[in-house]
Amino acid sequence: MSSDMPFTSKRRKTCPEKTSDFFESLPDDLLLSILCKLSATASSPSDFINVLVTCKRLNSLGLHSLVLSKASHKTFLVKPQNWCDSVHRFLKHCADAGNIEACYTLGMIRFYCLQNRGSGASLMAKAAMNSHAPALYSLAVIQFNGSGGTKNDKDLRAGVALCARAAFLGHIDALRELGHCLQDGYGVKQNVAEGRRFLLQANARELAAVLSTANNKRAWVTWNLPVPHPRLRLGTGSGCPLLSDYGCNVPASETHPASKFLSEWFVIRSGSLGPGMRLCSHSGCGRPETRRHEFRRCSVCGVVNYCSRACQALDWKFRHKAECAPVERWLNDDGEDVAGDNGGGGDDVMMANS
Protein backbone atom coordinates (compact mmCIF):
# COMPACT_ATOMS: atom_id res chain seq x y z
CA MET A 1 0.00 0.00 0.00
CA SER A 2 2.77 2.39 0.86
CA SER A 3 4.51 1.71 -2.48
CA ASP A 4 1.39 2.78 -4.38
CA MET A 5 1.09 6.19 -2.76
CA PRO A 6 3.89 7.96 -4.67
CA PHE A 7 2.62 6.53 -7.96
CA THR A 8 -0.92 7.80 -7.38
CA SER A 9 0.34 11.22 -6.42
CA LYS A 10 2.48 11.41 -9.55
CA ARG A 11 -0.46 10.60 -11.88
CA ARG A 12 -2.55 13.35 -10.37
CA LYS A 13 0.11 15.88 -11.29
CA THR A 14 0.22 14.80 -14.96
CA CYS A 15 -3.58 14.93 -15.48
CA PRO A 16 -4.84 18.49 -14.88
CA GLU A 17 -8.54 18.92 -14.30
CA LYS A 18 -8.96 21.62 -16.98
CA THR A 19 -7.33 21.68 -20.41
CA SER A 20 -6.26 25.03 -21.89
CA ASP A 21 -8.37 26.53 -24.75
CA PHE A 22 -5.96 27.11 -27.65
CA PHE A 23 -8.67 28.95 -29.66
CA GLU A 24 -8.80 31.73 -27.09
CA SER A 25 -5.04 32.17 -27.41
CA LEU A 26 -5.24 32.87 -31.17
CA PRO A 27 -4.70 36.56 -31.97
CA ASP A 28 -7.56 38.61 -33.39
CA ASP A 29 -5.54 39.56 -36.48
CA LEU A 30 -5.18 35.92 -37.49
CA LEU A 31 -8.89 35.22 -37.03
CA LEU A 32 -9.83 38.36 -38.96
CA SER A 33 -7.64 37.22 -41.85
CA ILE A 34 -9.35 33.82 -41.89
CA LEU A 35 -12.83 35.36 -41.68
CA CYS A 36 -12.04 37.78 -44.52
CA LYS A 37 -11.05 34.85 -46.72
CA LEU A 38 -14.19 32.97 -45.74
CA SER A 39 -16.55 35.88 -46.46
CA ALA A 40 -14.85 36.58 -49.80
CA THR A 41 -15.30 32.97 -50.96
CA ALA A 42 -18.73 32.24 -49.44
CA SER A 43 -21.06 30.63 -51.97
CA SER A 44 -24.23 31.32 -49.97
CA PRO A 45 -25.35 33.30 -46.90
CA SER A 46 -25.33 30.12 -44.79
CA ASP A 47 -21.58 29.69 -45.33
CA PHE A 48 -21.02 32.94 -43.49
CA ILE A 49 -23.87 32.76 -40.98
CA ASN A 50 -22.81 29.32 -39.71
CA VAL A 51 -19.53 30.84 -38.57
CA LEU A 52 -21.20 33.78 -36.85
CA VAL A 53 -23.38 31.51 -34.69
CA THR A 54 -20.46 29.34 -33.59
CA CYS A 55 -19.41 31.45 -30.62
CA LYS A 56 -19.49 35.01 -29.30
CA ARG A 57 -15.93 35.74 -30.33
CA LEU A 58 -16.44 34.69 -33.95
CA ASN A 59 -19.74 36.56 -34.03
CA SER A 60 -18.02 39.73 -32.87
CA LEU A 61 -15.06 39.41 -35.23
CA GLY A 62 -17.27 38.27 -38.12
CA LEU A 63 -19.16 41.56 -38.00
CA HIS A 64 -15.94 43.56 -38.13
CA SER A 65 -15.97 46.17 -40.91
CA LEU A 66 -12.91 44.60 -42.55
CA VAL A 67 -14.66 41.24 -42.84
CA LEU A 68 -17.93 42.74 -44.09
CA SER A 69 -16.11 44.80 -46.72
CA LYS A 70 -14.70 41.61 -48.29
CA ALA A 71 -17.96 39.63 -48.45
CA SER A 72 -18.76 38.18 -51.88
CA HIS A 73 -21.96 38.97 -53.77
CA LYS A 74 -23.21 35.43 -53.06
CA THR A 75 -23.19 36.25 -49.35
CA PHE A 76 -26.12 38.57 -50.12
CA LEU A 77 -28.12 35.94 -52.04
CA VAL A 78 -31.15 36.41 -49.80
CA LYS A 79 -34.57 34.98 -50.62
CA PRO A 80 -37.33 37.61 -50.78
CA GLN A 81 -39.54 35.50 -48.50
CA ASN A 82 -36.80 35.77 -45.84
CA TRP A 83 -36.52 39.55 -46.10
CA CYS A 84 -36.77 41.26 -42.72
CA ASP A 85 -35.32 44.16 -40.76
CA SER A 86 -32.31 42.13 -39.61
CA VAL A 87 -31.40 41.25 -43.21
CA HIS A 88 -31.82 44.91 -44.16
CA ARG A 89 -29.54 45.95 -41.28
CA PHE A 90 -26.91 43.38 -42.24
CA LEU A 91 -26.81 44.64 -45.84
CA LYS A 92 -26.59 48.21 -44.57
CA HIS A 93 -23.68 47.31 -42.26
CA CYS A 94 -21.88 45.75 -45.23
CA ALA A 95 -22.57 48.81 -47.39
CA ASP A 96 -21.36 51.14 -44.62
CA ALA A 97 -18.20 49.03 -44.37
CA GLY A 98 -17.46 49.84 -48.03
CA ASN A 99 -18.63 46.62 -49.67
CA ILE A 100 -19.57 47.72 -53.20
CA GLU A 101 -21.57 44.54 -53.89
CA ALA A 102 -23.69 45.28 -50.83
CA CYS A 103 -24.10 48.90 -52.00
CA TYR A 104 -25.36 47.71 -55.38
CA THR A 105 -27.62 44.94 -54.05
CA LEU A 106 -29.20 47.09 -51.35
CA GLY A 107 -29.46 49.99 -53.80
CA MET A 108 -31.43 47.89 -56.27
CA ILE A 109 -33.70 46.55 -53.52
CA ARG A 110 -34.40 50.00 -52.13
CA PHE A 111 -34.93 51.64 -55.52
CA TYR A 112 -37.23 49.04 -57.06
CA CYS A 113 -38.69 46.93 -54.22
CA LEU A 114 -38.94 49.35 -51.30
CA GLN A 115 -39.53 52.33 -53.63
CA ASN A 116 -36.96 54.43 -51.78
CA ARG A 117 -35.66 55.98 -55.00
CA GLY A 118 -33.24 58.53 -53.55
CA SER A 119 -31.48 56.20 -51.14
CA GLY A 120 -31.35 53.37 -53.68
CA ALA A 121 -29.86 55.56 -56.40
CA SER A 122 -27.30 56.95 -53.93
CA LEU A 123 -26.13 53.46 -52.99
CA MET A 124 -25.83 52.43 -56.64
CA ALA A 125 -23.91 55.64 -57.34
CA LYS A 126 -21.54 54.80 -54.47
CA ALA A 127 -20.83 51.43 -56.08
CA ALA A 128 -20.51 53.03 -59.52
CA MET A 129 -17.89 55.47 -58.24
CA ASN A 130 -15.85 52.41 -57.30
CA SER A 131 -16.03 51.14 -60.91
CA HIS A 132 -18.73 48.55 -60.24
CA ALA A 133 -19.89 47.70 -63.77
CA PRO A 134 -23.40 46.36 -62.92
CA ALA A 135 -24.11 49.53 -60.90
CA LEU A 136 -22.97 51.73 -63.79
CA TYR A 137 -25.20 49.82 -66.19
CA SER A 138 -28.20 49.93 -63.83
CA LEU A 139 -27.84 53.70 -63.49
CA ALA A 140 -27.69 53.90 -67.29
CA VAL A 141 -31.01 52.03 -67.54
CA ILE A 142 -32.52 54.44 -65.01
CA GLN A 143 -31.34 57.40 -67.10
CA PHE A 144 -32.60 55.88 -70.37
CA ASN A 145 -36.08 55.27 -68.91
CA GLY A 146 -36.34 58.21 -66.52
CA SER A 147 -37.09 55.65 -63.81
CA GLY A 148 -38.47 57.09 -60.61
CA GLY A 149 -39.59 60.26 -62.40
CA THR A 150 -41.53 61.29 -65.47
CA LYS A 151 -40.91 60.74 -69.15
CA ASN A 152 -39.30 64.18 -69.29
CA ASP A 153 -36.66 63.02 -66.81
CA LYS A 154 -35.02 60.76 -69.40
CA ASP A 155 -31.39 61.71 -70.01
CA LEU A 156 -30.17 59.73 -73.02
CA ARG A 157 -26.72 61.31 -73.11
CA ALA A 158 -26.12 60.48 -69.44
CA GLY A 159 -27.33 56.94 -70.10
CA VAL A 160 -24.91 56.51 -72.98
CA ALA A 161 -22.02 57.91 -70.90
CA LEU A 162 -22.73 55.49 -68.02
CA CYS A 163 -23.16 52.63 -70.50
CA ALA A 164 -19.82 53.45 -72.12
CA ARG A 165 -18.07 53.36 -68.75
CA ALA A 166 -19.61 49.98 -67.90
CA ALA A 167 -18.75 48.68 -71.39
CA PHE A 168 -15.13 49.79 -70.87
CA LEU A 169 -15.10 47.58 -67.76
CA GLY A 170 -16.30 44.63 -69.86
CA HIS A 171 -19.97 44.49 -68.86
CA ILE A 172 -21.67 42.41 -71.56
CA ASP A 173 -25.13 43.99 -71.35
CA ALA A 174 -23.56 47.46 -71.46
CA LEU A 175 -21.58 46.53 -74.56
CA ARG A 176 -24.74 45.29 -76.23
CA GLU A 177 -26.75 48.35 -75.17
CA LEU A 178 -24.05 50.73 -76.38
CA GLY A 179 -23.87 48.89 -79.69
CA HIS A 180 -27.60 49.33 -80.29
CA CYS A 181 -27.43 53.00 -79.24
CA LEU A 182 -24.70 53.64 -81.82
CA GLN A 183 -26.54 51.75 -84.53
CA ASP A 184 -29.82 53.56 -83.87
CA GLY A 185 -28.37 56.97 -83.03
CA TYR A 186 -30.11 56.78 -79.64
CA GLY A 187 -28.56 59.39 -77.33
CA VAL A 188 -25.40 59.49 -79.43
CA LYS A 189 -24.40 60.27 -83.00
CA GLN A 190 -25.24 57.32 -85.22
CA ASN A 191 -22.32 55.11 -86.18
CA VAL A 192 -23.49 51.76 -87.55
CA ALA A 193 -20.02 50.28 -88.02
CA GLU A 194 -18.91 51.16 -84.49
CA GLY A 195 -22.19 49.83 -83.09
CA ARG A 196 -21.68 46.53 -84.90
CA ARG A 197 -18.17 46.32 -83.42
CA PHE A 198 -19.53 46.67 -79.89
CA LEU A 199 -22.17 44.00 -80.54
CA LEU A 200 -19.51 41.61 -81.82
CA GLN A 201 -17.42 42.35 -78.75
CA ALA A 202 -20.42 41.59 -76.53
CA ASN A 203 -20.89 38.24 -78.26
CA ALA A 204 -17.20 37.40 -77.89
CA ARG A 205 -17.23 38.24 -74.18
CA GLU A 206 -20.42 36.25 -73.73
CA LEU A 207 -18.73 33.17 -75.17
CA ALA A 208 -15.54 33.78 -73.17
CA ALA A 209 -17.57 34.02 -69.95
CA VAL A 210 -19.08 30.60 -70.63
CA LEU A 211 -15.70 29.09 -71.45
CA SER A 212 -14.23 30.40 -68.20
CA THR A 213 -16.96 28.84 -66.04
CA ALA A 214 -15.15 25.79 -64.74
CA ASN A 215 -18.07 24.54 -62.64
CA ASN A 216 -20.47 24.25 -65.57
CA LYS A 217 -20.83 20.49 -66.02
CA ARG A 218 -23.27 20.60 -68.92
CA ALA A 219 -22.36 21.15 -72.53
CA TRP A 220 -21.66 24.87 -72.70
CA VAL A 221 -22.03 25.19 -76.47
CA THR A 222 -24.15 23.24 -78.92
CA TRP A 223 -24.50 23.70 -82.62
CA ASN A 224 -27.56 23.66 -84.83
CA LEU A 225 -26.96 22.37 -88.32
CA PRO A 226 -26.94 23.57 -90.96
CA VAL A 227 -25.16 26.75 -89.84
CA PRO A 228 -26.23 29.72 -91.94
CA HIS A 229 -23.50 31.49 -93.83
CA PRO A 230 -22.77 34.92 -92.27
CA ARG A 231 -23.05 36.70 -95.62
CA LEU A 232 -26.64 35.55 -95.96
CA ARG A 233 -27.50 37.61 -92.89
CA LEU A 234 -26.09 40.94 -93.99
CA GLY A 235 -29.14 41.99 -95.97
CA THR A 236 -31.66 41.22 -93.25
CA GLY A 237 -31.08 44.32 -91.16
CA SER A 238 -28.55 46.69 -89.64
CA GLY A 239 -28.32 44.78 -86.37
CA CYS A 240 -25.52 42.37 -85.59
CA PRO A 241 -26.81 38.81 -85.05
CA LEU A 242 -26.17 37.06 -81.78
CA LEU A 243 -24.08 33.90 -81.61
CA SER A 244 -27.24 31.80 -81.72
CA ASP A 245 -28.02 33.23 -85.14
CA TYR A 246 -24.90 31.47 -86.42
CA GLY A 247 -26.07 28.17 -84.92
CA CYS A 248 -24.06 28.53 -81.71
CA ASN A 249 -26.25 28.10 -78.64
CA VAL A 250 -24.63 29.65 -75.56
CA PRO A 251 -26.39 29.00 -72.23
CA ALA A 252 -27.65 31.94 -70.23
CA SER A 253 -25.12 33.48 -67.89
CA GLU A 254 -25.61 33.35 -64.13
CA THR A 255 -28.11 35.93 -62.90
CA HIS A 256 -26.79 38.50 -60.42
CA PRO A 257 -28.25 38.04 -56.91
CA ALA A 258 -29.81 41.53 -57.05
CA SER A 259 -31.68 40.74 -60.27
CA LYS A 260 -32.73 37.35 -58.92
CA PHE A 261 -34.06 39.00 -55.78
CA LEU A 262 -36.10 41.49 -57.82
CA SER A 263 -37.62 38.77 -60.00
CA GLU A 264 -38.67 36.65 -57.02
CA TRP A 265 -39.83 39.67 -54.99
CA PHE A 266 -42.46 40.72 -57.53
CA VAL A 267 -43.60 37.13 -58.10
CA ILE A 268 -44.27 36.72 -54.37
CA ARG A 269 -45.71 40.22 -53.99
CA SER A 270 -47.71 40.38 -57.20
CA GLY A 271 -49.81 43.23 -55.85
CA SER A 272 -46.83 45.46 -55.08
CA LEU A 273 -46.74 46.76 -58.66
CA GLY A 274 -48.93 49.74 -59.33
CA PRO A 275 -51.96 49.44 -61.64
CA GLY A 276 -50.97 49.12 -65.28
CA MET A 277 -47.25 48.70 -64.51
CA ARG A 278 -45.28 45.74 -65.81
CA LEU A 279 -42.05 43.85 -65.25
CA CYS A 280 -39.33 43.62 -67.88
CA SER A 281 -40.14 40.53 -69.94
CA HIS A 282 -36.58 39.21 -69.73
CA SER A 283 -36.70 36.64 -66.91
CA GLY A 284 -33.16 37.39 -65.75
CA CYS A 285 -33.80 41.12 -65.22
CA GLY A 286 -36.51 41.67 -62.61
CA ARG A 287 -36.78 45.45 -63.10
CA PRO A 288 -40.33 46.82 -62.81
CA GLU A 289 -41.77 49.96 -64.30
CA THR A 290 -41.82 52.91 -61.91
CA ARG A 291 -44.59 54.58 -63.92
CA ARG A 292 -47.06 53.42 -66.55
CA HIS A 293 -45.73 52.77 -70.07
CA GLU A 294 -42.14 53.34 -68.93
CA PHE A 295 -40.75 50.34 -70.84
CA ARG A 296 -40.95 49.93 -74.60
CA ARG A 297 -42.90 47.15 -76.25
CA CYS A 298 -41.87 44.82 -79.05
CA SER A 299 -42.78 46.56 -82.31
CA VAL A 300 -43.90 43.31 -83.94
CA CYS A 301 -46.21 41.59 -81.44
CA GLY A 302 -46.72 44.26 -78.79
CA VAL A 303 -46.99 41.55 -76.13
CA VAL A 304 -43.62 41.83 -74.39
CA ASN A 305 -41.84 44.88 -73.02
CA TYR A 306 -38.24 45.55 -72.04
CA CYS A 307 -36.30 48.00 -69.91
CA SER A 308 -33.40 47.98 -72.38
CA ARG A 309 -32.22 46.71 -75.74
CA ALA A 310 -29.82 44.37 -73.95
CA CYS A 311 -32.72 42.63 -72.19
CA GLN A 312 -34.61 42.46 -75.48
CA ALA A 313 -31.62 40.84 -77.21
CA LEU A 314 -31.24 38.19 -74.51
CA ASP A 315 -34.96 37.42 -74.31
CA TRP A 316 -35.14 37.22 -78.11
CA LYS A 317 -32.37 34.67 -78.17
CA PHE A 318 -33.64 32.44 -75.36
CA ARG A 319 -37.42 32.70 -75.67
CA HIS A 320 -39.21 35.38 -77.65
CA LYS A 321 -37.82 34.51 -81.09
CA ALA A 322 -39.95 31.37 -81.13
CA GLU A 323 -43.06 33.14 -79.83
CA CYS A 324 -43.11 36.53 -81.57
CA ALA A 325 -45.98 36.81 -84.06
CA PRO A 326 -46.77 40.01 -85.97
CA VAL A 327 -50.11 41.73 -85.50
CA GLU A 328 -51.56 44.60 -87.49
CA ARG A 329 -52.62 46.63 -84.47
CA TRP A 330 -52.31 46.31 -80.72
CA LEU A 331 -53.80 48.26 -77.85
CA ASN A 332 -52.39 49.52 -74.59
CA ASP A 333 -53.90 48.77 -71.20
CA ASP A 334 -56.51 51.53 -71.63
CA GLY A 335 -57.69 50.15 -74.98
CA GLU A 336 -56.00 52.94 -76.94
CA ASP A 337 -54.28 52.29 -80.24
CA VAL A 338 -50.53 52.70 -79.74
CA ALA A 339 -49.18 51.30 -83.00
CA GLY A 340 -50.22 51.66 -86.59
CA ASP A 341 -50.24 49.10 -89.32
CA ASN A 342 -46.49 49.46 -89.75
CA GLY A 343 -45.74 48.51 -86.16
CA GLY A 344 -45.24 52.06 -84.91
CA GLY A 345 -42.07 53.80 -83.91
CA GLY A 346 -40.64 56.31 -81.47
CA ASP A 347 -39.80 55.82 -77.82
CA ASP A 348 -42.65 53.51 -76.82
CA VAL A 349 -41.91 50.65 -79.22
CA MET A 350 -38.77 48.59 -79.60
CA MET A 351 -37.80 47.04 -82.90
CA ALA A 352 -37.56 43.26 -82.86
CA ASN A 353 -34.16 41.77 -83.60
CA SER A 354 -33.72 40.58 -87.13
Side-chain angles (χ1 to χ4, degrees), residues 11 53 90:
R11 288 197 57 166
V53 299
F90 174 72

Side-chain angles (χ1 to χ4, degrees), residues 13-299:
K13 290 180 181 179
T14 57
C15 297
E17 293 180 0
K18 183 179 180 181
T19 59
S20 59
D21 189 347
F22 293 104
F23 174 73
E24 293 297 333
S25 65
L26 293 175
D28 286 353
D29 290 347
L30 177 60
L31 290 176
L32 282 174
S33 178
I34 295 172
L35 289 171
C36 283
K37 182 67 175 178
L38 175 66
S39 66
T41 57
S43 59
S44 66
S46 60
D47 289 348
F48 187 61
I49 293 172
N50 287 338
V51 175
L52 298 183
V53 299
T54 302
C55 66
K56 290 183 178 180
R57 189 183 181 198
L58 285 180
N59 183 278
S60 176
L61 293 175
L63 296 177
H64 192 278
S65 60
L66 183 62
V67 178
L68 296 179
S69 67
K70 304 292 184 182
S72 70
H73 68 279
K74 292 185 177 180
T75 307
F76 315 125
L77 191 59
V78 183
K79 296 288 186 182
Q81 56 266 34
N82 298 329
W83 180 259
C84 58
D85 289 340
S86 60
V87 175
H88 196 164
R89 284 195 301 271
F90 174 72
L91 278 172
K92 188 178 184 302
H93 288 326
C94 293
D96 292 341
N99 189 304
I100 60 174
E101 284 289 349
C103 288
Y104 173 64
T105 301
L106 184 57
M108 290 283 282
I109 292 172
R110 283 185 176 179
F111 189 90
Y112 288 108
C113 300
L114 305 182
Q115 298 183 17
N116 190 340
R117 314 294 187 198
S119 176
S122 296
L123 284 168
M124 284 188 274
K126 182 179 178 180
M129 286 188 291
N130 286 276
S131 299
H132 188 265
L136 285 162
Y137 176 69
S138 292
L139 289 173
V141 173
I142 290 173
Q143 293 294 333
F144 281 134
N145 295 318
S147 301
T150 66
K151 189 174 182 179
N152 295 329
D153 292 320
K154 291 182 180 181
D155 192 338
L156 304 186
R157 294 183 63 183
V160 169
L162 288 164
C163 224
R165 177 60 180 164
F168 176 78
L169 296 172
H171 194 270
I172 296 173
D173 287 344
L175 283 165
R176 188 165 286 135
E177 190 74 27
L178 187 60
H180 285 298
C181 287
L182 285 164
Q183 284 197 326
D184 301 338
Y186 190 70
V188 67
K189 184 178 179 181
Q190 188 175 27
N191 189 329
V192 176
E194 189 71 5
R196 185 176 292 115
R197 185 178 71 83
F198 276 108
L199 291 174
L200 286 171
Q201 190 176 350
N203 292 335
R205 284 188 175 271
E206 183 182 49
L207 180 58
V210 175
L211 289 171
S212 63
T213 306
N215 294 330
N216 198 345
K217 302 299 183 183
R218 58 180 172 166
W220 44 265
V221 167
T222 58
W223 294 89
N224 295 329
L225 297 175
V227 178
H229 194 282
R231 290 185 179 179
L232 298 179
R233 302 284 301 183
L234 294 179
T236 60
S238 60
C240 177
L242 298 171
L243 289 173
S244 59
D245 292 324
Y246 291 103
C248 177
N249 296 322
V250 179
S253 57
E254 185 179 5
T255 304
H256 192 280
S259 298
K260 189 172 183 180
F261 184 96
L262 262 61
S263 299
E264 296 177 358
W265 174 278
F266 290 106
V267 169
I268 295 172
R269 295 169 172 82
S270 57
S272 60
L273 281 173
M277 290 191 285
R278 304 158 297 181
L279 290 173
C280 178
S281 295
H282 174 43
S283 59
C285 175
R287 290 180 178 87
E289 290 182 320
T290 60
R291 67 177 185 279
R292 297 185 64 185
H293 311 309
E294 177 182 337
F295 296 161
R296 292 181 294 170
R297 293 189 178 187
C298 174
S299 63

